[in-house]
Structures are given as C-alpha cells and as structure tokens.
Amino acid sequence: MRLVYVDNNATTPIAPEVFEAMVPYLTKEFFNPSSMYEPARRVARAVREARQRIARFFGRIAPSEILFTSCATESNNTAIVGAAKANPHRRHIVTTAVEHPAVLEVCKEMQRNGYDVTFLPVDRHGNLDISEFIRALRPDTLLVTIMHANNETGVVFPVAELARITKETDPAILFHTDATQSVGKLRIDLSGEYRHVDMLSFSGHKLHAPKGIGVLFVRKGTPMRPFMIGGHQENGRRAGTENVPYIIGLAKAMELAYENLEEENRRIAQMRDRLERELAARIPYLEINGKGAPRLPNTLNLSCHFIEGEAILIELSEHGICASSGSACTSGSLEPSHVLLAMKVPFTAVHGSVRFSLGRYNTEEDIDRIIEVFPQVVEQLRRASPYWDAKRNAPREEAYGLLQEAGALT
C-alpha cells in the first residue's frame, strides 16, 4: 500500500539535500566549535556561515540576531520567560486563545505565577478582532505573543500590523511571534514589513530539516534574559554546545524552501483547494474551518458532524493515509481542540475534526487517493451513528434539534 503523508504541519521528512549537507558534520567534522585548534575553528566557521545564510532569508538583519535553540518550544519559552526576567516591573501579557501549547501553556504558567494574561478570542473563521487587540494593550503590558499562522487551521494573523500597533502604542512593549508554521511557507522581512517584531520563533523540522533544531530571532537591543544558563555559547544567550550538523541542515533546508517559494505555494494551494472543493461536494454536513480567513496554502481543517475524528484517522491509516486531528503536541487527549472550541465550531462537529497539511513531496495522486477514501470513511462511520439516517445520507429528524442548538443550521 502506497503511503500518503499529509501531516506536514506536525513534521516533515528530511530533504535528501539537507541530509547530504549534514553528513560531514556527523562524521569527520565532529569537532566542538568552541575549541581552539584548527579543525574546531573550521567547524565554527561553518556554523557562522550557516547563521549568516539563515539571517539573509529574513531581510537585512544581523546574523548575531539569530539564536540557535533545540526547538520552537524552547524558543517560545525563552522569549516569554526571558522577557519577563528582563522586565520585572511589567506584569501583563497579551496572547490569543488559539496559540500552540508551547505558548499557551507557558502563558498559563506565567498566570499562575502572578502575571495578568489576556487571551484574545477569535471569530468563527479564526480571525482576531483588531479593535479588541488594541483595547487589550495596557501601560503595564510586558509582552504581546501572537502566532503568525495557526498550526491546526492554517489561519494567518496580521502579525506585521499587530506589531506596528503595539510599538505605536508603547515602544517598550515587546512583540514576539511563533512563526513555526509560516517560516518556509511565507516570506518574512524582519527589516521591512515585520520590522516591529522583536522576537520570532521557529523550528527546523517543519521545513524538511531534522527534529532538534530551532531558532529564536532576537532583535538587537531587546531586553531578554537567558533561559538556558551555563556556558558562553550563542554570545552568552543560550548555554550548551552547538548542534552543528542540525544547524548546517537548517541552513540548507531554508535555501530549499525559499528558492522556488511562490511557485511551490501555488502548486500546493491548487492541490489543497481541489481537495477542499471535492470533499465539500461529496460529504454533506461538513465544516471547513478557517475558510473565511487568510490561510497557509497547504492547510485544510475539516469537521464532520456526528462522528469522531480519532475514528476517522484510524480508518484513514488503514488505507495508508497519514493525517491528524490537530496539533501533534495535544494528540492523545480526549478533549476537543482548544483552537476549534475558541472558533466556536458546533459541538456536533468539533470532535470530528481532521487536518490535512500538504508538503513539498505531495502529488496530485495523493489528492486523488484522499478524495477516493475520505468520503467512504465518513459514510461508513456515520452509518454507525445513532444520529445519522444512512438511507437519506442525512441527520435523523431528532438530530436537527442538536444541529440547531449547536448553531450549525444558521
């Protein structure tokens, strides 16, 4: 059975070119870049060049503003906790109700430690209310931390505008964005349109680099204390021996991602849109989450009324299709997605959610396979539902009250 992998927002396969670039630093170039002899200095130069190459993809920023971490979760923790340590007199944080757990749970922990946190809501499409955001900013606001693109729905927030508003309101408020899903999919000029962003996080394994390498961009002059304390590495901002092979791999992965970005985005968006269109035509009572908002070109989040997402994923897996019900970091929980709850997805559909996230190696044949299998899976599972009339392929009469109560018929 041919594998159809459409869970690229969870992780991506390492590109062969990336692996090839890493191999020398996993073998003969194994030296610690902090050592003083020539082979180690050679490795240090390779790290320095990789930092420079990565910085170029964000506009005219200094390579020293690129801080290597182990993952986006560490980058997010560093940004939030490090900002708080450096600004102890400000005790208010602004974020959203739909952040990845790597931000959301940190903010909740800050709240338990006495900080006041505003969790901004979103509308049914996943959009933020700009006027509500403006009202949330206060004289004691320490930090705004808002994701660039949502990992579950692909909804893109106007981060450049939000950062500009923040700095025009109070230049001392720090602005951080978790760009884990957007780096490698969208162009982000931190010296141009995004010049008001102070800190930006992302992770290599979302763009065909390996797991275990992340980045935190920290604009020069941003007050932030180290999160990882120990050695002198990363100019004293993050202790720990540099993960040299993975840093080299990340630089190569970013080159691959950005060399044909617009063309690749068009190709992927066409496949995503065809998948969305065909599934919507074949499956009644289907919610397209985020459809009314700007979205990443690769992400499609669906909710099917009256069936469970976990059952859908198991059946898809039996047919060789790898998808997810939302964030990989919250899988295993019986609770519905906090993102979809915040978007007020009807309760009759919120448990029946599936995310298809496409990537560089997906083909039209993959889309054909999903279009063939997914409606059959939904039909099969609905036949077992007490709320579904299989003969009419529609909800039973008594289920319409539930749909009306859930707001699905408005």
Side-chain angles (χ1 to χ4, degrees), residues 2-54:
R2 188 172 69 88
L3 187 73
V4 176
Y5 183 77
V6 281
D7 198 18
N8 287 275
N9 284 9
T11 197
T12 56
I14 298 176
E17 301 92 331
V18 170
F19 178 74
E20 184 178 347
M22 291 169 56
V23 168
Y25 300 92
L26 290 165
T27 52
K28 61 181 181 178
E29 300 290 347
F30 62 86
F31 308 97
N32 189 322
S34 294
S35 298
M36 296 305 295
Y37 36 81
E38 174 52 31
R41 292 201 300 271
R42 189 167 62 235
V43 170
R45 283 195 297 272
V47 171
R48 186 165 59 250
E49 289 167 5
R51 197 187 306 271
Q52 292 168 348
R53 286 155 58 199
I54 291 168

Side-chain angles (χ1 to χ4, degrees), residues 160-186:
E161 181 184 2
L162 298 174
R164 176 187 59 79
I165 291 169
T166 299
K167 292 301 182 180
E168 288 177 353
T169 302
D170 181 354
I173 300 174
L174 300 182
F175 193 99
H176 165 252
T177 186
D178 177 358
T180 303
Q181 294 296 338
S182 57
V183 170
K185 301 185 186 90
L186 304 176

Side-chain angles (χ1 to χ4, degrees), residues 207-346:
L207 57 145
H208 303 284
K211 303 166 189 68
I213 183 66
V215 166
L216 176 62
F217 161 78
V218 184
R219 193 175 298 279
K220 186 178 180 180
T222 300
M224 189 197 75
R225 298 295 299 159
F227 183 68
M228 297 277 284
I229 297 171
H232 64 280
Q233 294 88 354
E234 298 297 294
N235 291 321
R237 298 174 301 171
R238 195 268 186 183
T241 302
E242 295 89 346
N243 191 350
V244 176
Y246 287 34
I247 290 170
I248 302 301
L250 176 59
K252 184 62 179 179
M254 292 193 70
E255 288 177 1
L256 295 173
Y258 284 105
E259 64 184 1
N260 293 304
L261 181 67
E262 285 72 25
E263 179 181 341
E264 186 67 2
N265 277 350
R266 278 194 295 272
R267 184 186 75 86
I268 289 174
Q270 287 172 358
M271 290 194 295
R272 189 274 309 273
D273 292 345
R274 181 166 79 91
L275 179 61
E276 179 180 308
R277 189 169 55 249
E278 294 294 336
L279 294 184
R282 287 166 167 76
I283 303 171
Y285 293 91
L286 184 72
E287 306 280 339
I288 311 292
N289 300 314
K291 187 175 183 179
R295 281 182 295 170
L296 293 173
N298 78 315
T299 306
L300 173 60
N301 189 296
L302 308 169
S303 293
C304 304
H305 288 270
F306 301 120
I307 52 176
E308 295 288 330
E310 286 76 10
I312 298 174
L313 296 178
I314 291 168
E315 289 298 322
L316 288 176
S317 181
E318 291 295 314
H319 290 84
I321 299 172
C322 303
S324 72
S325 58
S327 170
C329 297
T330 55
S331 63
S333 170
L334 295 177
E335 295 298 316
S337 157
H338 71 281
V339 174
L340 300 185
L341 287 175
M343 292 171 64
K344 297 181 175 57
V345 172

Side-chain angles (χ1 to χ4, degrees), residues 67-234:
L67 173 67
F68 292 120
T69 68
S70 65
C71 58
T73 295
E74 185 194 329
S75 296
N76 290 331
N77 275 260
T78 301
I80 297 168
V81 177
K85 287 181 178 179
N87 301 271
H89 302 300
R90 292 191 174 222
R91 309 284 293 181
H92 176 233
I93 297 171
V94 177
T95 188
T96 78
V98 296
E99 297 295 311
H100 187 277
V103 167
L104 195 66
E105 294 305 318
V106 180
C107 288
K108 290 178 180 178
E109 180 66 15
M110 298 297 285
Q111 195 174 42
R112 287 189 285 269
N113 290 332
Y115 283 78
D116 190 6
V117 182
T118 299
F119 297 94
L120 295 171
V122 294
D123 65 16
R124 177 62 186 88
H125 302 292
N127 288 306
L128 282 173
D129 184 332
I130 300 294
S131 61
E132 195 160 359
F133 169 75
I134 294 171
R135 288 193 297 271
L137 299 175
R138 303 186 333 206
D140 65 333
T141 300
L142 157 72
L143 174 73
V144 173
T145 175
I146 291 179
M147 64 184 0
H148 193 195
N150 189 270
N151 51 298
E152 295 193 28
T153 63
V155 171
V156 179
F157 287 151
V159 160
E161 181 184 2
L162 298 174
R164 176 187 59 79
I165 291 169
T166 299
K167 292 301 182 180
E168 288 177 353
T169 302
D170 181 354
I173 300 174
L174 300 182
F175 193 99
H176 165 252
T177 186
D178 177 358
T180 303
Q181 294 296 338
S182 57
V183 170
K185 301 185 186 90
L186 304 176
R187 294 199 183 274
I188 303 170
D189 186 351
L190 289 165
S191 62
E193 183 184 5
Y194 292 83
R195 64 189 179 277
H196 299 294
V197 171
D198 296 302
M199 296 178 285
L200 177 146
S201 306
F202 69 97
S203 186
H205 75 103
K206 308 294 186 179
L207 57 145
H208 303 284
K211 303 166 189 68
I213 183 66
V215 166
L216 176 62
F217 161 78
V218 184
R219 193 175 298 279
K220 186 178 180 180
T222 300
M224 189 197 75
R225 298 295 299 159
F227 183 68
M228 297 277 284
I229 297 171
H232 64 280
Q233 294 88 354
E234 298 297 294

